[in-house]
């Protein structure tokens, strides 16, 4: 029997560290006779994991009548599918709901349940069935029926757990919890949920604090929770919106904890997975600026032991103007997840339910590389194989093509070889790559409560709109974008963690702010400054809590007066004149100022100030970075705080490094533009790749190892092209290279192996046991052969 553990941001199966590279394959949408072939085709792409939903609605097609072994229809035979996954040597992520979404009617919960038990369905504030027909998560009837479903499905899954010698290494609990409430601006007002909210209030408030917060007599707390919550009055609306959001985080957590306990009682002893939703469509494009709403909703859920948070990443056709959304999604997810778990996407865009937009193969290449560069150690493409919806379960009808890498008939779409190339590279470098972690220059502060905006009412709409607009304009499309496009690499910290922010670990922190920020967070930033941190605060000084009551802890500490706020003005920032500014906060100070309204030196809009042992950089400037010169201003601001990119390039490319002192480095270059770019690369003052100019074709990327072990006793010091396959047969090692440069250059080091000259390959021994290998070829691929060094000596 095997073991599975999650440690140091890696999945470890039976002692072996594994990079999860999987594909979603729905057995219930593919003819049973094709299952093995499809599994093999996913495996052929370099994958090591099959993922699948197990839709309750399909298996329990009548209440009390459940088929998981194919008695009523071959495609219901989950048992055989898992056996085939095992026989093909693949891992498996099972996702048995109760919700699966998966473009299925009623999102996978049996229609008979919703029709027969309307009392268990979520309600709107006027008592109607929720527009999405989502259930009430904590309703006893729903939990009772879910328990029966888990009894049946877990009985089939248990023998196939990795701990029982099977393929199943991960078990997902429900899917995208809270998503329906957000997208409809309608939380659940079912009586059972509101009774739970009442208990929440009684637990978290004293009689005095309740009355001070909501201005309602404590004697009316039950009526407040069950009735007044549905249509708030202005006097308590802001406090209620905030408190109900905090409650829902606990509500979702309790639901997931219930499912986890139920699964564990039925013998499921592998790690669990919870999916985070949030990427959204804009016309035919997609953005990730709202993805942190899903993170916020599941903030408490992320604290559940042995549970991996996994993002749903659907970026559409990735562009220069949208790729930072993925960077932020990665950073913010890491900020809230269990520290030992790897960054993991359980639904990584493998296609789209619609054929619009038409997804380009380059998108799959760039998004995958970008996430691996940012530290992602687990990717599961959704979908990987197209199929058909049987028995009218399809939300969009019978067809389920999904622009998947594999068509319904098993043909390979153009992005299949793109994914396959990355899969083979991961197989080649898995052991070394998993030892490395991204090198970062600074940190962003992630404040989940700024994303607790999934619902509002007439009284709180202005505040919610204000927060949403500012975080998207001034942070996502503003400073976060400006930093990354200038290759100042950041991670994020969750400022709502209980721990103080340690300046030794987080020397510099960029903190987006609105006029609302709770007391404890304001105080935490004060303490960070007192202890020696460098805090870049933008674009405003908060003066209220998120319950909309005055709070000036941070402002009082900074000790500055805000004179006024101006919109759409031009400023002078350092040496940059005529800078277009969307919004500027004007301060009554001239000490340490480095920006002001143009031609008005006394209208200060940015200043720096020593506070405690630390340094504050108050950047009261909000800009949507729609001009390159605005990005340059943020580079100069970063320099003030001692933050600079480690890279020097001649072209605008996204470049990052994953590094390990013992295992070497992997440099990732992404070109999001539609023209080839060439550059030399300097990192921390050292010229890389022998000073050779590296070309990156349009809309593509490179993963280049430096000082990495390729095979026993064979190291690659550097290379300009991608090695994606290593084959060791008897007394020969063969490396397969994807040709990118006109002349690829590699330097290998080995006392045991020596490269072999061929027509395409020329070799120079630059020093003992170190070989420079030059490759020129008109083909797309080339190979380098190595023979034992002693064999060459004998031949001589």
């Amino acid at each position: 029997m095997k073991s599975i553990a999650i440690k140091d941001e890696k999945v470890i199966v039976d002692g072996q560290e594994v990079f999860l590279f999987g594909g979603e394959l729905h057995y219930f949408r593919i003819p049973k006779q094709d299952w093995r072939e499809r599994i093999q085709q996913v495996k052929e792409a370099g994958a090591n994991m099959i993922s699948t939903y197990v839709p309750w609605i399909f298996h329990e097609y009548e209440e009390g009548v459940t088929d998981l072994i194919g008695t009523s229809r071959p495609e219901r035979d989950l048992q055989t599918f898992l056996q085939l996954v095992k026989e093909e040597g693949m891992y498996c992520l099972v996702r048995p709901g109760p919700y699966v979404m998966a473009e299925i009617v009623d999102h996978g919960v049996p229609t008979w349940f919703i029709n027969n038990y309307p009392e268990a369905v979520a309600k709107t504030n006027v008592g109607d069935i929720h527009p999405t027909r989502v259930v009430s998560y904590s309703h006893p009837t729903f939990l009772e029926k879910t328990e029966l479903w888990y009894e049946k499905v877990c009985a089939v899954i248990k023998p196939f757990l990795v701990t029982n010698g099977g393929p199943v290494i991960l078990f997902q609990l429900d899917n995208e919890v809270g998503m329906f409430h957000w997208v409809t601006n309608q939380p659940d007002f079912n009586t059972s949920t509101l009774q739970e909210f009442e208990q929440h209030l009684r637990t978290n408030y004293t009689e005095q604090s309740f009355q001070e917060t909501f201005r309602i007599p404590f004697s009316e707390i039950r009526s407040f929770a069950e009735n007044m919550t549905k249509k708030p009055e202005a006097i308590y609306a802001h406090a209620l919106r905030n408190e109900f959001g905090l409650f829902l985080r606990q509500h979702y957590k309790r639901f997931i904890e219930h499912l986890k306990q139920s699964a564990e009682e039925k013998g499921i002893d592998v790690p669990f997975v919870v999916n985070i939703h949030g990427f959204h469509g804009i016309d035919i494009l997609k953005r990730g600026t709202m993805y942190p709403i899903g993170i916020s909703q599941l903030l408490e859920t992320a604290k559940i032991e042995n549970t991996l948070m996994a993002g749903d990443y659907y970026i559409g056709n990735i562009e220069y103007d949208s790729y930072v959304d993925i960077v932020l999604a990665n950073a913010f997810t890491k900020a809230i997840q269990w520290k030992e778990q790897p960054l993991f996407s359980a639904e990584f865009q493998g296609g789209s339910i619609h054929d619009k937009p038409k997804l380009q193969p380059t998108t799959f290449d760039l998004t995958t590389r970008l996430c691996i560069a940012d530290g992602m150690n687990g990717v599961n493409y959704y979908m990987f194989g197209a199929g058909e919806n049987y028995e009218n379960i399809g939300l969009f009808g019978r067809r389920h093509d999904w622009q998947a890498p594999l068509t319904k008939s098993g043909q390979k779409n153009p992005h299949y070889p793109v994914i396959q190339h990355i899969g083979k590279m991961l197989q080649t470098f898995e052991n070394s790559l998993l030892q490395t972690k991204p090198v970062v220059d600074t940190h962003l502060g992630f404040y989940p409560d700024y994303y607790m905006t999934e619902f509002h009412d007439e009284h709180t709409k202005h505040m919610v709109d204000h927060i949403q607009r500012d975080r998207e304009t001034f942070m996502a499309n503003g400073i976060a974008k400006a930093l990354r496009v200038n290759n100042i690499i950041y991670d994020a910290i969750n400022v709502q963690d209980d721990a103080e922010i340690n300046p030794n670990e987080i020397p510099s922190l960029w903190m987006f702010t609105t006029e609302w920020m709770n007391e404890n967070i304001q105080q935490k930033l004060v303490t960070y400054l007192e202890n020696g941190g460098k805090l870049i605060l933008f674009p405003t000084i908060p003066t209220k809590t998120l319950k909309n009551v005055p709070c000036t802890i941070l402002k009082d500490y900074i000790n500055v007066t805000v004179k006024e706020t101006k919109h759409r003005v031009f400023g002078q920032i350092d040496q940059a004149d005529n800078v277009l500014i969307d919004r500027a906060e004007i301060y009554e100070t001239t000490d340490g100022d480095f920006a002001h309204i143009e031609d008005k030196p006394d209208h200060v809009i940015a200043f720096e100030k020593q506070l405690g042992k630390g340094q504050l950089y108050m950047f009261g400037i909000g800009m949507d970075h729609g001009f390159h010169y605005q990005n340059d201003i943020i580079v100069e601001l970063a320099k003030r705080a001692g933050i600079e990119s480690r890279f020097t390039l001649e072209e605008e490319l996204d470049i990052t490094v994953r590094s390990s002192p013992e295992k070497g480095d992997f440099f990732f270059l992404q070109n999001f533009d539609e023209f080839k770019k060439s550059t030399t690369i300097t990192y921390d003052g050292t010229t890389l790749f022998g000073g050779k100019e590296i070309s990156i074709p349009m809309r593509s990327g490179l993963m280049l190892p430096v000082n990495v072990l390729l095979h026993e006793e064979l190291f690659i010091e550097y290379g300009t092209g991608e090695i994606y396959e290593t084959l060791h047969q008897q007394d020969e090692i063969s490396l397969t290279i994807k040709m990118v440069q006109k002349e690829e250059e590699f330097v290998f080091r080995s006392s045991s192996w020596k490269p072999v000259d061929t027509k395409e390959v020329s070799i120079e021994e630059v020093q003992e046991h170190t070989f420079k290998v030059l490759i020129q070829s008109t083909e797309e691929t080339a190979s380098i052969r190595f023979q034992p060094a002693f064999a060459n000596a004998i031949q001589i």
Side-chain angles (χ1 to χ4, degrees), residues 60-126:
E60 190 173 358
Y61 46 91
E62 295 177 16
E63 184 171 7
V65 180
T66 303
D67 179 8
L68 288 154
I69 58 173
T71 303
S72 59
R73 182 184 189 97
E75 289 72 33
R76 289 192 172 99
D77 190 359
L78 172 64
Q79 182 173 275
T80 295
F81 182 76
L82 293 177
Q83 178 63 32
L84 292 175
V85 174
K86 176 181 178 180
E87 290 173 8
E88 293 300 327
M90 301 284 276
Y91 299 123
C92 188
L93 161 61
V94 290
R95 313 168 80 187
Y99 270 99
V100 297
M101 284 53 169
E103 305 80 51
I104 289 176
V105 170
D106 286 320
H107 318 290
V109 169
T111 300
W112 57 254
F113 176 82
I114 296 170
N115 291 340
N116 296 347
Y117 304 96
E119 70 277 10
V121 180
K123 301 297 190 294
T124 67
N125 59 341
V126 295

Side-chain angles (χ1 to χ4, degrees), residues 440-460:
V440 301
D441 306 304
T442 188
H443 286 78
L444 300 184
F446 174 48
Y447 188 12
D449 283 1
Y450 276 166
Y451 292 88
M452 197 169 64
T453 53
E454 63 268 30
F455 62 90
H456 60 263
D457 54 57
E458 58 182 321
H459 308 296
T460 57

Side-chain angles (χ1 to χ4, degrees), residues 676-687:
K676 183 175 75 172
K677 297 181 179 181
S678 300
T679 184
T680 58
I681 301 170
T682 300
Y683 176 64
D684 276 344
T686 300
T687 300

Side-chain angles (χ1 to χ4, degrees), residues 182 185 238 241 289-290 293 449-474 512-516 546 548 567 583:
W182 161 38
N185 189 36
H238 288 86
R241 186 198 71 83
T289 55
M290 290 188 180
I293 294 175
D449 283 1
Y450 276 166
Y451 292 88
M452 197 169 64
T453 53
E454 63 268 30
F455 62 90
H456 60 263
D457 54 57
E458 58 182 321
H459 308 296
T460 57
K461 185 178 188 303
H462 170 76
M463 175 184 177
V464 168
D465 287 348
H466 186 115
I467 292 173
Q468 289 187 154
R469 181 183 63 248
D470 283 9
R471 75 189 183 209
E472 184 166 325
T473 305
F474 304 143
F512 162 73
T513 54
T514 70
E515 63 184 279
W516 298 277
L546 284 161
N548 206 36
H567 298 270
R583 194 175 76 212

Side-chain angles (χ1 to χ4, degrees), residues 312-332:
D312 289 1
Y313 283 22
Y314 296 101
I315 197 65
N317 282 315
I318 192 168
E319 305 282 349
Y320 172 85
D321 297 307
S322 65
Y323 85 90
V324 174
D325 293 0
I326 286 184
V327 173
L328 285 173
N330 290 334
F332 290 171

Side-chain angles (χ1 to χ4, degrees), residues 27 66 74 87 102 154 264 313 342 447 499 524 559 573 601 613 716 786-787:
Y27 63 93
T66 303
E87 290 173 8
C154 289
E264 287 173 336
Y313 283 22
Y447 188 12
K524 180 176 280 194
N559 191 25
I573 306 176
K613 298 177 183 177
I716 176 171
F786 292 82
Q787 292 179 346

Side-chain angles (χ1 to χ4, degrees), residues 19-24 49 51 93 95 170 172 273-276 279 291 308-315 326 329-330 333 337 341-350 367-368 371-372 375-382:
F19 190 110
L20 295 181
F21 197 65
E24 189 84 8
M49 184 176 75
S51 173
L93 161 61
R95 313 168 80 187
L170 298 170
Q172 183 171 308
V273 172
V274 171
N275 252 19
I276 305 173
F279 278 73
Y291 170 80
L308 283 68
M309 305 306 292
D312 289 1
Y313 283 22
Y314 296 101
I315 197 65
I326 286 184
N330 290 334
T333 303
Q337 70 185 24
Q341 82 150 90
L343 184 63
F344 174 43
S345 174
E347 289 190 28
F348 195 83
Q349 178 175 272
T367 51
T368 309
C371 286
I372 295 171
M376 189 171 282
N377 287 338
V379 172
N380 180 61
Y381 292 99
Y382 187 102

